[in-house]
Structure formats: C-alpha cells, structure tokens
C-alpha cells in the first residue's frame, strides 16, 4: 500500500496531496471527495505521479482522500487520509478580532484560526476582567512553563498581497518580565516550518502596550499572518486590526539609548 500520505499547502479551495513512491510502482489510482463520500460512486483517477493538486474545493470543508498502487499483479489496498480546507479568505479590510464573541476556556479559539502547539491547552481565549482585559470578556492567552514549548496562532487566509498590509494589536505580559511575541507570515497554515519572521515585539511592562507591525518587507507568497511564542511565557494578545498600510507609515519600534 502507499505510505507517507501527506496533505500540504491547504488553502480555502485547493490542497496538495503526495505520498511515497517505490521505484517498482509507476502508476496509482486516486479519489477524493467531501468527508464520508460514497467511494463506490467516485471518479477514480489514474496517475503517473505520486502527487496530485486538488482544486475547486469548498472552503471550511472536511475531505477524504484515497490512493492505491497499481502493481504488476493487481492493486494494493487503499490508503486513506483526511483534511479540512481553510475558511473563505478575508477580502474586506480592516479585519478585526477582539476575542469577545466566542466565550472563554481552554478549548475556545477563534473561528477560522489555526492553533499549532505542544502546550497543554494554550493558546486559547481566556477570560479577562476590567483590570486584566483591554476589551471584555476575552483575550488570546499564551502560557507555558517549559523552555521547549512552541505556540502558534494563525489568522485566516488573507486575500491580499501581504506586503500591502499591517497589523495593529495590543500585547500584555501577565507579570513584570520580558516576553517576546513573534509576528510572521506562513505559506501553509498547518506547517510551522513555513513561518517567516517579520518582527518580534516585547512589552516593556506588565500593562497593555499597542504595537503596529507593517509587512512591507515581506517578499514571499504566503497568505497567513501568524503569531508565535516560544518557551516560557504568560501573555495576552487583544484588539487585532489588519488593514492596508497607509500612504504615510507611522514610525514603529521607537527606542532610546545612551
């Protein structure tokens, strides 16, 4: 049977599937459809390559894929995988998110966002009070007590040239210590290796700080803005606004020394 079946480059209407190809196999049968589709009625494709670019998919939909090898003495069993397409791209700006309409708790996360983390539950939308919250009742919460923890929160796909956009946000450390929040762009919302760092921001005190990060330096093809927090942290993000960069860009990362 085929092995190493992987789904990559998942977007709102397309995805790439590939698998391991032994040198003794040169053709494959492949089919895909919405999760639970009737495989006995499916259109089975015969392929000469161990990959296929699926297009014309529906946004925010679960899909099943099946592939089997055509061998000299017959056909192998089917290998199966599932995946979900991303939501419809954001094409109206400004795009805003205050994390106040989903409820709160360790399993709560914004619609159409992607979470990739080896932390127990973070990031998630945590409850806030008048003293801890910028807008009530919730904010995006990152927490870890381990130096080996990674936490990613990936925004929905942006239907715009990322280099034309900027993000405004509020960031707060939960205690008087330094916490970094990395802001970057991903070409694949499910693959952290595609994260390209644009800027790291650091709150100076344990109060809310406002930050603006333009993506004008980005030259890639990614469509997903993402937050990354590595290692030990306790911090909040709130009041996100993604919009086009104004004609006159405000100075940012202002610092004084000497």
């Amino acid at each position: 049977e085929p092995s190493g079946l992987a789904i990559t480059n998942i977007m709102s209407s397309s995805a790439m599937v590939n698998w391991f190809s032994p040198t003794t196999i040169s053709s494959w049968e492949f089919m895909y459809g919405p999760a639970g589709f009737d495989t006995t009625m499916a259109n089975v494709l015969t392929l000469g390559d161990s990959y296929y670019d699926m297009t014309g998919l529906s946004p925010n939909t679960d899909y099943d894929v099946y592939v089997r090898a055509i061998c000299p003495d017959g056909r192998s069993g089917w290998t199966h995988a599932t995946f979900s397409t991303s939501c419809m791209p954001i094409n109206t700006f400004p795009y805003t998110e205050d994390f106040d309409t989903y409820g709160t708790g360790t399993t709560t996360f914004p619609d159409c966002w992607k979470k990739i983390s080896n932390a127990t539950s973070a990031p998630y939308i945590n409850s806030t009070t008048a003293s801890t919250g910028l807008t009530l009742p919730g904010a995006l919460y990152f927490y870890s007590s381990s130096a080996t923890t990674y936490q990613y929160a990936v925004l929905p796909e942006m239907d715009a040239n990322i280099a034309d956009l900027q993000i405004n946000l509020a960031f707060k450390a939960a205690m008087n210590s330094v916490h970094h929040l990395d802001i970057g762009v991903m070409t694949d919302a499910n693959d952290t290796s595609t994260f390209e760092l644009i800027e790291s921001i650091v709150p100076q005190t344990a109060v809310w700080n406002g930050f603006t990060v333009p993506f004008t330096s980005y030259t890639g093809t990614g469509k997903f803005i993402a937050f990354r927090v590595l290692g030990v942290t306790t911090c909040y993000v709130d009041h996100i606004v993604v919009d086009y960069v104004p004609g006159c860009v405000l100075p940012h990362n202002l610092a004084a020394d000497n």
Side-chain angles (χ1 to χ4, degrees), residues 99 113 140 142 151-155 167-169 181-184 186 195 201 225-229 237 240:
F99 309 105
W113 285 47
L140 188 61
F142 296 86
Q151 300 175 66
Y152 291 79
V154 188
L155 280 67
I167 189 168
N168 297 294
L169 68 147
L181 176 71
D182 295 334
I183 299 176
M186 296 171 68
F195 181 91
I201 59 177
I225 297 170
F227 300 131
R228 180 181 69 182
V229 177
V237 172
I240 291 169

Side-chain angles (χ1 to χ4, degrees), residues 7 25 55 90 124 159 194 206 226:
I7 316 295
I25 304 297
T55 59
I90 303 299
Y124 60 88
D159 187 15
T194 69

Side-chain angles (χ1 to χ4, degrees), residues 26-111:
S26 60
S27 57
W28 313 83
E29 289 187 335
F30 175 77
M31 59 181 174
Y32 67 99
F37 75 98
D38 186 354
T39 57
T40 64
M41 302 295 291
N43 177 32
V44 178
L45 305 175
T46 301
L47 306 177
D49 297 302
S50 57
Y51 62 88
Y52 187 77
D53 187 13
M54 297 173 286
T55 59
L57 306 179
S58 298
N60 197 26
T61 301
D62 297 331
Y63 281 89
D64 288 329
V65 298
Y66 296 87
V67 62
R68 67 181 177 184
I70 301 176
C71 307
D73 57 351
R75 286 165 170 76
S76 72
W78 290 103
T79 296
H80 169 242
T82 62
F83 71 97
S84 299
T85 52
S86 60
C87 292
M88 282 289 292
I90 303 299
N91 56 18
T92 301
F93 298 95
Y95 164 77
T96 63
E97 181 58 77
D98 287 322
F99 309 105
D100 295 329
T101 60
Y102 307 100
T104 60
T106 57
T107 61
T108 309
F109 206 65
D111 292 342

